[in-house]
Amino acid sequence: MGPQDILDKLGGQGGQETGLANIQKLFGGNGTQGIVSQLTNAGLGQHVQSWISTGDNKPVSGQQLQQAMDPAALQRMSQQTGMPADQIADHVAQVLPQLIDKATPDGQMPTSDPLSQGASALKGM
């Protein structure tokens, strides 16, 4: 299953853009910077830096990501999509490293936030 398929699942009837918005909500809703901050605060800074840098992306598990997710947002997403929270976290773990990698093509945080711009973040995936 590719990233776009995963985003479709996470978005439910709203599709990929809703899936992308839902992922952001899981980490506080503050775009790429918010996701990076939440994950860093949860002890996943080395993972995040590997996604931002130009080298290989370090994998992360759904269980690791759940430590950084907003439990209420995860519950809402579970109700919206009909998927269990663990499955959502596993899907996010598959797609998030790629999303952050694509949002930081030069190995740095961008001045504008591609994840907050919706579908444009999906191009080239």
Side-chain angles (χ1 to χ4, degrees):
M1 184 179 320
Q4 293 174 332
D5 297 323
I6 292 171
L7 288 172
D8 274 338
K9 282 185 150 241
L10 295 176
Q13 293 181 347
Q16 293 176 8
E17 285 208 38
T18 302
L20 195 58
N22 283 344
I23 289 172
Q24 291 181 62
K25 289 176 188 171
L26 290 174
F27 299 99
N30 296 317
T32 308
Q33 188 62 53
I35 293 170
V36 167
S37 293
Q38 287 288 108
L39 293 173
T40 300
N41 291 340
L44 296 170
Q46 288 183 339
H47 291 77
V48 173
Q49 286 308 311
S50 77
W51 307 340
I52 294 171
S53 72
T54 56
D56 291 336
N57 292 335
K58 196 172 185 180
V60 66
S61 72
Q63 188 175 20
Q64 288 172 302
L65 288 183
Q66 275 189 289
Q67 303 303 311
M69 289 180 181
D70 175 351
L74 183 58
Q75 183 61 36
R76 281 191 301 274
M77 191 170 176
S78 179
Q79 291 172 344
Q80 176 188 7
T81 62
M83 282 189 281
D86 291 346
Q87 186 178 9
I88 291 170
D90 289 342
H91 283 316
V92 173
Q94 289 176 25
V95 74
L96 190 59
Q98 296 173 57
L99 288 173
I100 299 295
D101 188 48
K102 294 288 183 196
T104 58
D106 298 322
Q108 301 177 39
M109 291 298 292
T111 53
S112 65
D113 193 344
L115 291 187
S116 293
Q117 295 168 7
S120 64
L122 302 174
K123 292 182 180 156
M125 288 190 74

